[in-house]
Amino acid sequence: AHYIKELPHMLPLGSKITVGDNEHRTRLEYLRTALMLPDFSPVTRKALRRYLPAKAFVESGLDAGETSGKGAKGILQFMPETWEEHKCTPEANIYSLIDQVCATENLLRQINTTLEIKCSDALTLIKDMFFEGDEELYIEFFHVPLIMNSFNAGASRVATLVHAFATICADKKRSAQLQTKKIIKEYGDVFTLMVHLAERLDFDIQYKNESGQYVFKIIAARRVLDQLPEEERATLLGEIDIGTNQ
């Protein structure tokens, strides 16, 4: 409801032409299309592109000049230290949408590598247990939310959660309980279930409730964008149809 209410205020910002973009894309379309991510699977790449406009919606209200009370800057709200680590060139401007998307690509690559190195076996166990090895379902409903959660909580902390969750899954008695339709129906999906258990069982005392809620905010914002009329989505986001690669 919050993002539906904010949409009329944010769309004028999202419809602005991206400064420096030779294709003259709107901010929303640039956010949705500019990520290259050549070393990601097509399914992961498509999902991350789709959610990046929603992340900007949540982070800054699509205001490229935003500075938060904590010091985060720009449309995707980079903290200065994270910006220095991931910016693409020494002269990159933290308030430039183009430069922020480039830095986001570097950050996403680091997040994905960290998750693969720190919890590859745990992720395979979760994929086989809950998704029966279906790669596309696993990516859309678990792996991509993990990546988005890492923006907020950090990839190493998210990897700790995954390990703790996989340990429970590996316990035959407890995993049998987790697999029941009633549990999944109650929590909605596997990522939500993991976040709930992380909060209830203190997988990591530094993982706060708002860390998990961050992902749900991005998903909610994307659903609001999905509700725009098809013609408006085509104009603002360059989307011909929800879920397509166009």
Coordinates of all heavy atoms in Angstrom, one line a residue, residues 187-241:
Y187 N 4.4 -19.5 5.4 CA 5.5 -18.5 5.3 C 5.6 -18.0 3.8 O 6.3 -17.0 3.6 CB 6.8 -19.1 5.7 CG 6.8 -19.4 7.2 CD1 6.9 -20.7 7.7 CD2 6.7 -18.3 8.1 CE1 6.8 -20.9 9.1 CE2 6.6 -18.6 9.5 CZ 6.7 -19.9 9.9 OH 6.6 -20.1 11.3
G188 N 4.9 -18.7 2.9 CA 4.8 -18.2 1.5 C 5.9 -18.7 0.6 O 5.5 -19.1 -0.5
D189 N 7.1 -18.8 1.0 CA 8.2 -19.4 0.2 C 9.4 -19.7 1.0 O 9.4 -19.4 2.2 CB 8.6 -18.4 -1.0 CG 9.1 -17.1 -0.4 OD1 9.9 -17.1 0.4 OD2 8.6 -16.0 -0.9
V190 N 10.3 -20.3 0.4 CA 11.5 -20.9 1.2 C 12.3 -19.7 1.7 O 12.8 -19.8 2.9 CB 12.3 -21.8 0.3 CG1 13.5 -22.4 1.1 CG2 11.5 -22.9 -0.2
F191 N 12.5 -18.7 1.0 CA 13.3 -17.6 1.5 C 12.7 -16.9 2.7 O 13.3 -16.7 3.7 CB 13.5 -16.5 0.4 CG 14.3 -15.3 0.9 CD1 15.6 -15.3 1.1 CD2 13.6 -14.1 1.3 CE1 16.3 -14.2 1.5 CE2 14.2 -13.0 1.7 CZ 15.6 -13.0 1.9
T192 N 11.4 -16.7 2.7 CA 10.6 -16.2 3.8 C 10.8 -17.1 5.0 O 10.9 -16.6 6.1 CB 9.1 -16.0 3.5 OG1 9.1 -15.2 2.3 CG2 8.4 -15.3 4.6
L193 N 10.7 -18.4 4.8 CA 10.8 -19.4 5.9 C 12.2 -19.2 6.5 O 12.4 -19.2 7.7 CB 10.6 -20.8 5.3 CG 10.9 -21.9 6.3 CD1 10.0 -21.9 7.5 CD2 10.7 -23.3 5.6
M194 N 13.3 -19.1 5.7 CA 14.6 -19.0 6.2 C 14.8 -17.7 7.0 O 15.3 -17.7 8.1 CB 15.6 -19.0 5.1 CG 17.1 -18.9 5.6 SD 18.3 -18.7 4.3 CE 18.1 -16.9 4.0
V195 N 14.2 -16.6 6.5 CA 14.3 -15.3 7.3 C 13.6 -15.5 8.6 O 14.0 -15.0 9.7 CB 13.7 -14.2 6.4 CG1 13.5 -12.9 7.3 CG2 14.6 -13.9 5.3
H196 N 12.4 -16.1 8.6 CA 11.6 -16.3 9.9 C 12.5 -17.1 10.9 O 12.6 -16.7 12.0 CB 10.3 -17.0 9.6 CG 9.6 -17.5 10.8 ND1 8.9 -16.6 11.6 CD2 9.5 -18.7 11.4 CE1 8.4 -17.2 12.6 NE2 8.8 -18.5 12.6
L197 N 13.1 -18.2 10.4 CA 13.9 -19.0 11.3 C 15.1 -18.3 11.8 O 15.5 -18.4 12.9 CB 14.2 -20.3 10.6 CG 13.1 -21.3 10.3 CD1 13.6 -22.5 9.5 CD2 12.5 -21.8 11.6
A198 N 15.7 -17.5 10.9 CA 16.9 -16.7 11.3 C 16.6 -15.8 12.4 O 17.3 -15.6 13.4 CB 17.4 -15.9 10.1
E199 N 15.4 -15.1 12.4 CA 15.0 -14.2 13.4 C 14.6 -15.0 14.7 O 15.0 -14.5 15.8 CB 13.8 -13.4 12.9 CG 14.1 -12.5 11.8 CD 12.9 -11.9 11.1 OE1 11.8 -12.2 11.5 OE2 13.1 -11.1 10.2
R200 N 13.9 -16.1 14.5 CA 13.4 -16.8 15.7 C 14.6 -17.6 16.4 O 14.6 -17.7 17.7 CB 12.4 -17.8 15.3 CG 11.5 -18.4 16.4 CD 10.4 -19.3 15.9 NE 11.0 -20.6 15.5 CZ 10.2 -21.6 15.0 NH1 9.0 -21.3 14.7 NH2 10.8 -22.7 14.7
L201 N 15.5 -18.1 15.7 CA 16.6 -19.0 16.2 C 17.9 -18.3 16.3 O 18.9 -18.9 16.7 CB 16.7 -20.3 15.4 CG 15.4 -21.1 15.3 CD1 15.7 -22.3 14.4 CD2 14.9 -21.6 16.6
D202 N 17.9 -17.0 16.0 CA 19.2 -16.2 16.1 C 20.3 -16.9 15.3 O 21.4 -17.2 15.9 CB 19.6 -16.0 17.6 CG 18.7 -15.0 18.2 OD1 18.2 -14.1 17.6 OD2 18.6 -15.1 19.5
F203 N 20.1 -17.2 14.0 CA 21.2 -17.7 13.2 C 22.4 -16.8 13.3 O 23.6 -17.2 13.3 CB 20.7 -17.8 11.7 CG 19.8 -18.9 11.4 CD1 19.2 -19.0 10.2 CD2 19.4 -19.8 12.4 CE1 18.3 -20.0 9.8 CE2 18.5 -20.8 12.1 CZ 17.9 -20.9 10.8
D204 N 22.2 -15.5 13.3 CA 23.3 -14.5 13.4 C 22.7 -13.3 14.1 O 21.7 -12.7 13.7 CB 23.7 -14.1 12.0 CG 24.9 -13.1 12.0 OD1 25.0 -12.3 12.9 OD2 25.7 -13.2 11.0
I205 N 23.3 -13.0 15.3 CA 22.7 -11.9 16.1 C 22.7 -10.6 15.5 O 22.0 -9.7 15.8 CB 23.3 -11.9 17.5 CG1 24.9 -11.6 17.4 CG2 23.1 -13.1 18.3 CD1 25.5 -11.3 18.7
Q206 N 23.6 -10.4 14.5 CA 23.7 -9.2 13.7 C 22.7 -9.0 12.6 O 22.5 -8.0 12.0 CB 25.1 -9.0 13.1 CG 26.2 -9.0 14.2 CD 26.1 -7.8 15.1 OE1 25.8 -6.7 14.7 NE2 26.3 -8.1 16.4
Y207 N 22.0 -10.1 12.3 CA 21.0 -10.1 11.3 C 19.7 -9.6 11.9 O 19.0 -10.3 12.6 CB 20.8 -11.5 10.6 CG 19.9 -11.5 9.4 CD1 20.4 -11.2 8.2 CD2 18.6 -11.9 9.5 CE1 19.6 -11.2 7.0 CE2 17.7 -11.9 8.4 CZ 18.2 -11.6 7.2 OH 17.4 -11.6 6.1
K208 N 19.3 -8.4 11.5 CA 18.1 -7.8 12.1 C 16.9 -8.1 11.3 O 17.0 -8.4 10.1 CB 18.3 -6.3 12.3 CG 19.6 -5.9 13.0 CD 19.6 -6.4 14.4 CE 20.8 -6.0 15.2 NZ 20.9 -6.5 16.5
N209 N 15.7 -7.9 11.9 CA 14.5 -8.1 11.2 C 14.4 -7.3 9.9 O 13.9 -7.8 8.9 CB 13.3 -7.7 12.2 CG 12.0 -7.9 11.5 OD1 11.6 -9.0 11.0 ND2 11.2 -6.9 11.5
E210 N 14.9 -6.0 10.0 CA 14.8 -5.2 8.8 C 15.6 -5.7 7.6 O 15.4 -5.3 6.5 CB 15.1 -3.7 9.1 CG 16.5 -3.5 9.7 CD 16.6 -3.5 11.2 OE1 15.7 -4.1 11.8 OE2 17.5 -2.9 11.7
S211 N 16.6 -6.5 7.9 CA 17.4 -7.1 6.9 C 16.6 -7.9 5.9 O 16.8 -7.9 4.7 CB 18.6 -7.8 7.4 OG 19.4 -7.0 8.2
G212 N 15.8 -8.8 6.5 CA 14.9 -9.6 5.7 C 13.8 -8.8 5.1 O 13.4 -9.1 3.9
Q213 N 13.3 -7.9 5.8 CA 12.2 -7.1 5.3 C 12.6 -6.3 4.1 O 11.7 -5.9 3.2 CB 11.7 -6.1 6.4 CG 11.0 -6.8 7.6 CD 9.9 -7.7 7.2 OE1 9.0 -7.3 6.4 NE2 9.8 -8.9 7.7
Y214 N 13.9 -5.9 4.0 CA 14.4 -5.2 2.8 C 14.0 -5.9 1.5 O 13.6 -5.2 0.6 CB 15.9 -5.0 3.0 CG 16.6 -4.4 1.8 CD1 16.6 -3.0 1.6 CD2 17.3 -5.2 0.9 CE1 17.3 -2.5 0.6 CE2 18.0 -4.6 -0.1 CZ 18.0 -3.3 -0.3 OH 18.7 -2.7 -1.4
V215 N 14.2 -7.2 1.4 CA 13.9 -7.9 0.2 C 12.4 -7.9 -0.1 O 12.0 -7.7 -1.2 CB 14.3 -9.4 0.4 CG1 13.9 -10.2 -0.9 CG2 15.8 -9.5 0.6
F216 N 11.6 -8.0 1.0 CA 10.1 -8.0 0.8 C 9.6 -6.6 0.3 O 8.7 -6.5 -0.5 CB 9.4 -8.4 2.0 CG 9.9 -9.7 2.6 CD1 10.1 -9.9 4.0 CD2 10.1 -10.8 1.8 CE1 10.5 -11.1 4.5 CE2 10.6 -12.0 2.3 CZ 10.8 -12.1 3.6
K217 N 10.3 -5.6 0.7 CA 10.0 -4.2 0.2 C 10.3 -4.1 -1.3 O 9.5 -3.5 -2.1 CB 10.8 -3.2 1.0 CG 10.4 -3.0 2.4 CD 11.3 -1.9 3.1 CE 10.9 -1.7 4.5 NZ 11.8 -0.8 5.2
I218 N 11.4 -4.7 -1.7 CA 11.8 -4.6 -3.2 C 10.8 -5.4 -4.0 O 10.3 -5.0 -5.0 CB 13.2 -5.2 -3.4 CG1 14.2 -4.2 -2.8 CG2 13.5 -5.3 -4.9 CD1 15.7 -4.7 -2.8
I219 N 10.4 -6.6 -3.5 CA 9.4 -7.4 -4.2 C 8.1 -6.7 -4.3 O 7.4 -6.6 -5.3 CB 9.2 -8.8 -3.5 CG1 10.5 -9.6 -3.7 CG2 8.0 -9.5 -4.1 CD1 10.6 -10.9 -2.9
A220 N 7.7 -6.0 -3.2 CA 6.4 -5.3 -3.2 C 6.5 -4.1 -4.1 O 5.5 -3.8 -4.9 CB 6.1 -4.8 -1.7
A221 N 7.6 -3.4 -4.2 CA 7.7 -2.3 -5.1 C 7.7 -2.8 -6.6 O 7.1 -2.1 -7.4 CB 9.0 -1.5 -4.9
R222 N 8.3 -3.9 -6.9 CA 8.2 -4.5 -8.2 C 6.8 -4.8 -8.6 O 6.3 -4.6 -9.7 CB 9.1 -5.7 -8.3 CG 9.2 -6.3 -9.7 CD 9.7 -5.4 -10.8 NE 8.7 -5.3 -11.9 CZ 9.0 -4.9 -13.1 NH1 10.3 -4.5 -13.4 NH2 8.1 -4.8 -14.1
R223 N 6.0 -5.3 -7.7 CA 4.6 -5.7 -7.9 C 3.8 -4.4 -8.3 O 2.9 -4.5 -9.1 CB 4.0 -6.4 -6.7 CG 4.5 -7.9 -6.6 CD 4.0 -8.5 -5.4 NE 4.5 -9.9 -5.3 CZ 4.5 -10.6 -4.2 NH1 4.1 -10.1 -3.0 NH2 5.0 -11.9 -4.2
V224 N 4.1 -3.3 -7.6 CA 3.4 -2.1 -7.9 C 3.8 -1.6 -9.3 O 2.9 -1.2 -10.1 CB 3.8 -1.0 -6.9 CG1 3.3 0.4 -7.4 CG2 3.3 -1.3 -5.5
L225 N 5.0 -1.7 -9.7 CA 5.4 -1.4 -11.1 C 4.7 -2.3 -12.1 O 4.3 -1.9 -13.2 CB 6.9 -1.5 -11.3 CG 7.8 -0.4 -10.5 CD1 9.2 -0.7 -10.6 CD2 7.4 1.0 -11.0
D226 N 4.6 -3.6 -11.7 CA 3.9 -4.5 -12.6 C 2.4 -4.2 -12.9 O 1.8 -4.6 -13.9 CB 3.9 -6.0 -12.0 CG 5.3 -6.6 -12.1 OD1 6.1 -6.1 -12.9 OD2 5.5 -7.6 -11.4
Q227 N 1.8 -3.4 -11.9 CA 0.4 -3.1 -12.0 C 0.2 -1.8 -12.9 O -1.0 -1.5 -13.2 CB -0.2 -2.8 -10.7 CG -0.3 -4.1 -9.8 CD -0.6 -3.8 -8.4 OE1 -1.1 -2.7 -8.0 NE2 -0.4 -4.7 -7.5
L228 N 1.3 -1.2 -13.4 CA 1.1 -0.1 -14.3 C 0.5 -0.6 -15.6 O 0.7 -1.7 -16.0 CB 2.5 0.5 -14.6 CG 3.1 1.3 -13.5 CD1 4.6 1.7 -13.9 CD2 2.4 2.6 -13.2
P229 N -0.3 0.2 -16.3 CA -0.9 -0.2 -17.6 C 0.3 -0.6 -18.5 O 1.4 0.0 -18.5 CB -1.6 1.1 -18.1 CG -1.9 1.8 -16.8 CD -0.8 1.6 -15.9
E230 N 0.0 -1.5 -19.4 CA 1.0 -2.0 -20.3 C 1.7 -0.9 -21.1 O 2.9 -0.9 -21.3 CB 0.4 -3.1 -21.3 CG 1.4 -3.8 -22.2 CD 0.7 -4.9 -23.0 OE1 -0.4 -5.4 -22.6 OE2 1.3 -5.2 -24.0
E231 N 0.9 0.0 -21.6 CA 1.5 1.1 -22.4 C 2.4 2.0 -21.6 O 3.5 2.4 -22.1 CB 0.4 2.0 -23.0 CG 0.9 3.1 -23.9 CD -0.3 3.9 -24.5 OE1 -1.4 3.3 -24.6 OE2 0.0 5.0 -24.9
E232 N 2.1 2.2 -20.3 CA 2.9 3.0 -19.4 C 4.2 2.2 -19.1 O 5.3 2.8 -19.0 CB 2.2 3.3 -18.2 CG 2.8 4.5 -17.4 CD 1.9 5.0 -16.3 OE1 0.8 4.5 -16.1 OE2 2.3 6.0 -15.7
R233 N 4.1 0.9 -18.9 CA 5.3 0.1 -18.6 C 6.2 0.1 -19.8 O 7.5 0.2 -19.7 CB 4.9 -1.4 -18.3 CG 4.4 -1.6 -16.9 CD 4.6 -3.0 -16.4 NE 4.6 -4.0 -17.5 CZ 3.5 -4.5 -18.0 NH1 2.3 -4.2 -17.5 NH2 3.5 -5.4 -19.0
A234 N 5.6 0.1 -21.0 CA 6.5 0.1 -22.2 C 7.2 1.4 -22.3 O 8.4 1.5 -22.7 CB 5.6 -0.1 -23.5
T235 N 6.6 2.5 -22.0 CA 7.2 3.9 -22.1 C 8.2 4.1 -21.0 O 9.3 4.6 -21.3 CB 6.1 5.0 -22.0 OG1 5.1 4.8 -23.0 CG2 6.7 6.3 -22.0
L236 N 7.9 3.7 -19.8 CA 8.8 4.0 -18.6 C 9.9 3.0 -18.4 O 11.0 3.3 -18.1 CB 7.9 4.1 -17.3 CG 7.0 5.3 -17.2 CD1 6.1 5.1 -16.0 CD2 7.8 6.6 -17.2
L237 N 9.5 1.7 -18.6 CA 10.5 0.6 -18.3 C 11.0 -0.1 -19.6 O 11.9 -0.9 -19.5 CB 9.8 -0.4 -17.4 CG 9.6 0.0 -16.0 CD1 8.3 -0.5 -15.4 CD2 10.8 -0.5 -15.1
G238 N 10.4 0.2 -20.7 CA 10.8 -0.5 -22.0 C 10.3 -1.9 -21.9 O 10.9 -2.8 -22.6
E239 N 9.3 -2.2 -21.1 CA 8.8 -3.6 -21.0 C 7.6 -3.8 -21.9 O 6.6 -3.1 -21.9 CB 8.4 -3.9 -19.6 CG 9.5 -4.0 -18.6 CD 9.1 -4.4 -17.2 OE1 7.9 -4.1 -16.8 OE2 9.9 -5.0 -16.5
I240 N 7.8 -4.8 -22.8 CA 6.7 -5.1 -23.7 C 5.6 -6.0 -23.0 O 4.4 -5.8 -23.1 CB 7.2 -5.8 -25.0 CG1 8.3 -5.0 -25.6 CG2 6.0 -6.1 -25.9 CD1 7.9 -3.6 -26.0
D241 N 6.1 -6.9 -22.2 CA 5.2 -7.8 -21.4 C 5.9 -8.2 -20.2 O 7.1 -8.4 -20.2 CB 4.9 -9.0 -22.3 CG 3.8 -9.8 -21.6 OD1 2.9 -9.3 -20.9 OD2 3.8 -11.0 -21.8

